[in-house]
Amino acid sequence: MFATSILSSATPVHGVSDDPIAAAIARHEQGLPAAPQAEALHAWVAENRASWSGLMPGLDQARVGYVDLRSTDSAIAQASASLDRVAATQAYHEHQQQAQFEIGVGVWMEQRCVYQSDNYRSKRLSGAMRDCHLGLDLFAPAGTPLTLPLDAEVVVAEVRDMQLDYGGMLVLRHASGAHPRFFSIWGHLSHRSARRWQPGDRIAAGTVFAELGDFEENGWWLPHLHLQLSLLELPDFADAPGVGEQVYAAVWRDIFPNPAPLLLAAEVQPTP
C-alpha cells in the first residue's frame, strides 16, 4: 500500500474510470498487478535481451557509460537543469573522455535532480514532484539515425516545441501476437522525424524511421533518445509521463517496463 492513496488524498486529472494510470494505481493498492499483462511483457523483454541492439549504429559493440542526472554534484545534471547548452556539452564530453565510453546511458527508474521546474509538479499528489525517470536514455550525437527493431503502427507523431519537453516525439503500437501488445515512446527526436509520419502509418522493422534532435528541437537537452515502454493505452499519449512520482515506483515498474534488456547486453549500473 502507498503511504498516500490516490483514491483518498490525490487529485487526479480524471476519474479512475477514464484515467488508466489512476486505475493502475488502484489495482496495485488492491494487491493486483498494476497492468494485467505486466508479468508476460516483463518475461518477453527478458527473453529477448539485446534484440534491439541494432537501434543505433554500433550500439551492439559500443562501450557504454553511465550518465549521472541524479546527483546535485554532477556537472552534467547542474548544466542540464539550468538549460546551459555550452556547460552541459562540455561536462558530457569531459565525462565521456574520462570514463572512456562511446554511448552514454541514463538509467530507468532513477530519481533525478534535474526535474525541479514547475513542469514536473505532480498533478496527482499535492506537493510532490515527478522526478523518477520512467524510460531509458541513450546519449549520442544529434542526427544519429534510429532503425526500428519491431513492426509498429504510429499512434502519435508530433513536435512538442517547448523547453524541457520532448521536441520531436513518436508513440508506436506493437501488436504482433508474439508478445503482449505494448507501446513505445520515442522522445527528443528531430522535428522532421515526427513530421515524417502520421497516426495510422505502419512502419516495418528495419526501417530507419527517426533521428536524434539537437538542443534547439529536442527540448533543450543534450542530444539523446528517451525510450519508454508502456503497457497502457493512454487517452492522450502526447501527455504520457516520462517521469513520475517516486511514491508510485512499484506501479511504474509494472506499466512502464525497463527497455534496457532489449537494447544492451549487460545492465549499466550507476556509479557510487
Side-chain angles (χ1 to χ4, degrees), residues 8 35 42 57 60 75 79 83 108 118 126 149 152 174 177-178 183 194 197 204 246 258:
S8 59
H42 282 258
D60 56 342
L83 302 175
W108 175 72
D118 287 345
S126 176
H174 307 279
F183 301 83
W197 305 103
Q246 185 68 28
N258 186 7

Side-chain angles (χ1 to χ4, degrees), residues 66-102:
Y66 171 67
V67 176
D68 182 5
L69 294 174
R70 63 179 177 172
S71 170
T72 55
D73 294 329
S74 164
I76 298 172
Q78 292 174 5
S80 296
S82 61
L83 302 175
D84 188 334
R85 173 180 184 162
V86 173
T89 301
Q90 180 178 345
Y92 178 78
H93 286 159
E94 288 176 355
H95 174 55
Q96 189 177 32
Q97 291 172 5
Q98 181 178 15
Q100 292 292 298
F101 65 84
E102 296 158 313

Side-chain angles (χ1 to χ4, degrees), residues 19-22 25 108-109 115 119-124 130-136 160 165-166 169 171 185 226-230 232-245 248 251-252 255-256:
D19 181 349
I21 292 178
I25 293 170
W108 175 72
M109 294 301 297
Y115 306 126
N119 302 45
Y120 301 105
R121 293 195 181 279
S122 174
K123 297 179 181 179
R124 298 183 183 277
R130 299 183 301 111
D131 58 5
C132 180
H133 187 239
L134 304 180
L136 180 83
R160 298 178 64 87
D165 212 315
Y166 277 137
M169 175 190 184
V171 179
I185 301 167
H226 171 93
L227 174 59
Q228 183 174 334
L229 308 182
S230 175
L232 300 186
E233 182 167 11
L234 303 177
D236 185 1
F237 262 111
D239 290 327
V243 288
E245 300 86 345
Y248 297 136
V251 173
W252 306 142
I255 64 179
F256 301 124

Side-chain angles (χ1 to χ4, degrees), residues 42-260:
H42 282 258
W44 178 83
V45 169
E47 292 165 1
N48 286 273
R49 178 168 285 279
S51 62
W52 289 22
S53 62
L55 174 67
M56 284 183 179
L59 178 60
D60 56 342
Q61 300 293 328
R63 295 188 302 275
V64 297
Y66 171 67
V67 176
D68 182 5
L69 294 174
R70 63 179 177 172
S71 170
T72 55
D73 294 329
S74 164
I76 298 172
Q78 292 174 5
S80 296
S82 61
L83 302 175
D84 188 334
R85 173 180 184 162
V86 173
T89 301
Q90 180 178 345
Y92 178 78
H93 286 159
E94 288 176 355
H95 174 55
Q96 189 177 32
Q97 291 172 5
Q98 181 178 15
Q100 292 292 298
F101 65 84
E102 296 158 313
I103 295 177
V105 176
V107 298
W108 175 72
M109 294 301 297
E110 178 174 69
Q111 190 168 17
R112 293 180 168 178
C113 70
V114 294
Y115 306 126
Q116 297 300 319
S117 72
D118 287 345
N119 302 45
Y120 301 105
R121 293 195 181 279
S122 174
K123 297 179 181 179
R124 298 183 183 277
L125 292 173
S126 176
M129 298 298 289
R130 299 183 301 111
D131 58 5
C132 180
H133 187 239
L134 304 180
L136 180 83
D137 291 335
L138 292 177
F139 291 81
T144 297
L146 304 177
T147 299
L148 190 66
L150 200 65
D151 291 345
E153 179 183 352
V154 178
V155 177
V156 173
E158 71 172 47
V159 172
R160 298 178 64 87
D161 194 14
M162 296 170 284
Q163 289 184 338
L164 302 177
D165 212 315
Y166 277 137
M169 175 190 184
L170 293 171
V171 179
L172 308 179
R173 178 188 290 112
H174 307 279
S176 72
H179 49 74
R181 185 192 67 172
F182 69 95
F183 301 83
S184 56
I185 301 167
W186 309 77
H188 309 303
L189 309 176
S190 69
H191 289 186
R192 69 178 180 180
S193 296
R195 291 173 175 149
R196 176 182 174 185
W197 305 103
Q198 298 292 327
D201 286 348
R202 295 186 178 276
I203 312 177
T207 301
V208 177
F209 73 106
E211 64 187 12
L212 300 189
D214 210 340
F215 280 81
E216 294 86 352
E217 55 181 2
N218 77 358
W220 213 254
W221 298 98
L222 282 165
H224 73 284
L225 169 69
H226 171 93
L227 174 59
Q228 183 174 334
L229 308 182
S230 175
L231 263 169
L232 300 186
E233 182 167 11
L234 303 177
D236 185 1
F237 262 111
D239 290 327
V243 288
E245 300 86 345
Q246 185 68 28
V247 71
Y248 297 136
V251 173
W252 306 142
R253 290 176 185 277
D254 265 4
I255 64 179
F256 301 124
N258 186 7

Side-chain angles (χ1 to χ4, degrees), residues 6-7 12-27 29-30 124:
I6 191 170
L7 300 180
V13 180
H14 309 291
V16 170
S17 62
D18 60 359
D19 181 349
I21 292 178
I25 293 170
R27 284 179 57 86
E29 290 188 323
Q30 295 163 14
R124 298 183 183 277

